[in-house]
Amino acid sequence: MHIQAELGLEEEDVWRCVLAWAKNQAGVTQPTAHWTEEERQRVCQQLAPVISHVRLFLIDSQVFAEEVEPTGAVPIELSLERYRRAALHSNKLPASAAPIQAGPGLAENDKRLQPRLMLNLFHGSAILKTTDSHARHAERVLRGAEADLETDVPGVDERVRNLVLVLVLVLVLVLVLVLVLVLVLVLVLVLVLILVLVLVLVLVLVLVLVLVLVLVLVLVLVLVLVLVLVLVLVLVLVLVLVLVLVLVLVLVLVLVLVLVLVLPPSKFEIVKKPYAICYHPDCGPIFGAGADLLISNNCNINMESYSNFPHSYDGPNATFGNLFGDYNFSIADYEVFTLAPSAVPGGIKMKHDRYP
């Protein structure tokens, strides 16, 4: 920073501009009374190279005490010299008093003791030659810069904080709205999913019911087919049985006819005539002493009838198996006939007995 000697400004304004520049360079925005020690050191570090160019001895004592000295940038020796010269200033002494001698280290022609002069910056310029006009213009420019740099920081901070709070509130509201929208969308999606699931369940139930109905119909059809098949089988079996019975009857008839028409009845001659027929009160007729044929009482419900053939009767194929197929047997019904003798007169019928 270069401070020109011919600015035509009051030294108080020069100091304020220099201080504003140092604060700006140090990044300090607080007033001097609110500085921290670290901020004070940064400002003093920026002021150290340029403070020697400020004519501190020409600054008003009140301004020096209120604005310069609190910064801590002025060396103690220079500050003491400043107060000494202020106390011994010739304007405050009687006219007969001796002139003030320069202090140690200060010469009478030291620039720090001389007021700044206006410089004619532009040759032939009437405006810039006017000292008061130029001074007022430069003062307004420097004071405007100082005012910009030394704005009331608490107010600025307050406005910034208010702006930040407003922005934060707006962001919070936006986030809340976004969250509400997200929740609404989630609820809508959940409702849609629930509706889809309900529809799927309904469709599944409908399909299950349809399948059940189809299965029932299939079962009914199968049962009907089974019943039809059973009926057909029953009819077939009935027809088969009828056919079998018919065939059996036909065979029986054929056998009977064969036996009657083809095979003559078997005749066995009596060998022992006294035993041709016997009688016993507890059984039916007895033929032969063997007995060749004995029919028991209640012969239709027991197997006590038997044949010991041949004994009193004999003939071709005379075995008990040819009569009834086994030694003991059961007889459902029987008849006994007596052959009529050849000498019986005509017209006389022979009696025959039937034994139940």
Side-chain angles (χ1 to χ4, degrees):
M1 178 179 180
H2 177 68
I3 301 177
Q4 193 168 1
E6 294 81 8
L7 283 177
L9 292 176
E10 296 292 335
E11 204 62 33
E12 291 84 356
D13 296 328
V14 174
W15 163 254
R16 293 186 182 109
C17 292
V18 171
L19 180 61
W21 171 83
K23 288 171 62 178
N24 184 55
Q25 293 295 110
V28 177
T29 57
Q30 299 288 341
T32 307
H34 299 284
W35 287 356
T36 63
E37 188 60 32
E38 190 267 338
E39 289 175 337
R40 189 181 307 278
Q41 290 178 2
R42 293 208 310 267
V43 173
C44 290
Q45 185 178 1
Q46 296 296 328
L47 286 173
V50 298
I51 196 169
S52 60
H53 298 285
V54 180
R55 301 176 182 181
L56 300 175
F57 297 102
L58 302 179
I59 296 176
D60 182 72
S61 297
Q62 184 177 357
V63 174
F64 186 86
E66 294 177 357
E67 299 182 21
V68 180
E69 195 171 24
T71 62
V74 180
I76 187 63
E77 297 83 2
L78 192 59
S79 181
L80 291 175
E81 179 64 20
R82 164 68 184 77
Y83 283 117
R84 188 186 71 81
R85 290 190 63 81
L88 300 176
H89 198 276
S90 59
N91 292 335
K92 296 182 181 180
L93 294 175
S96 59
I100 301 173
Q101 299 295 325
L106 291 175
E108 291 296 334
N109 59 352
D110 195 324
K111 289 185 178 182
R112 290 179 292 176
L113 301 176
Q114 300 174 5
R116 299 179 187 275
L117 300 176
M118 180 191 71
L119 178 64
N120 188 3
L121 298 178
F122 298 95
H123 180 70
S125 173
I127 297 176
L128 293 180
K129 285 182 179 179
T130 306
T131 304
D132 293 339
S133 175
H134 174 67
R136 284 195 299 271
H137 175 72
E139 183 178 2
R140 282 197 301 271
V141 172
L142 291 174
R143 285 183 178 177
E146 180 184 3
D148 290 338
L149 292 173
E150 291 191 353
T151 308
D152 188 8
V153 176
V156 173
D157 289 344
E158 188 68 25
R159 288 195 297 273
V160 171
R161 282 196 296 271
N162 292 335
L163 182 60
V164 170
L165 287 175
V166 171
L167 291 175
V168 170
L169 288 175
V170 171
L171 289 175
V172 170
L173 289 175
V174 171
L175 289 175
V176 170
L177 289 175
V178 170
L179 288 175
V180 170
L181 290 175
V182 170
L183 289 175
V184 170
L185 289 175
V186 170
L187 290 175
V188 171
L189 289 175
V190 170
L191 290 175
V192 170
L193 289 175
I194 291 173
L195 290 175
V196 171
L197 289 175
V198 170
L199 290 175
V200 170
L201 289 175
V202 170
L203 290 175
V204 170
L205 290 176
V206 170
L207 290 175
V208 170
L209 290 175
V210 171
L211 290 175
V212 170
L213 291 175
V214 171
L215 289 175
V216 170
L217 291 175
V218 170
L219 289 175
V220 170
L221 290 175
V222 170
L223 289 175
V224 171
L225 290 175
V226 170
L227 289 175
V228 171
L229 290 175
V230 170
L231 290 175
V232 171
L233 289 175
V234 169
L235 290 175
V236 170
L237 289 175
V238 170
L239 290 175
V240 170
L241 289 175
V242 170
L243 290 174
V244 170
L245 289 175
V246 170
L247 289 175
V248 170
L249 290 175
V250 170
L251 289 175
V252 170
L253 290 174
V254 169
L255 288 174
V256 170
L257 290 174
V258 169
L259 291 174
V260 171
L261 297 177
V262 177
L263 296 176
S266 297
K267 180 180 179 181
F268 299 101
E269 297 293 337
I270 187 168
V271 178
K272 299 176 181 179
K273 292 184 179 180
Y275 305 104
I277 187 168
C278 301
Y279 171 77
H280 192 280
D282 295 331
C283 61
I286 302 172
F287 297 94
D292 294 77
L293 175 61
L294 185 145
I295 298 175
S296 67
N297 189 27
N298 297 323
C299 62
N300 59 333
I301 59 174
N302 59 49
M303 294 288 290
E304 295 179 0
S305 300
Y306 67 90
S307 173
N308 200 16
F309 186 71
H311 187 274
S312 299
Y313 292 86
D314 198 1
N317 299 321
T319 60
F320 66 87
N322 287 334
L323 292 177
F324 299 100
D326 201 354
Y327 184 82
N328 291 97
F329 46 84
S330 175
I331 297 176
D333 194 7
Y334 65 90
E335 291 182 358
V336 178
F337 296 91
T338 301
L339 294 176
S342 58
V344 175
I348 299 176
K349 295 181 178 180
M350 297 298 293
K351 178 183 176 183
H352 66 274
D353 296 326
R354 185 175 187 278
Y355 298 89

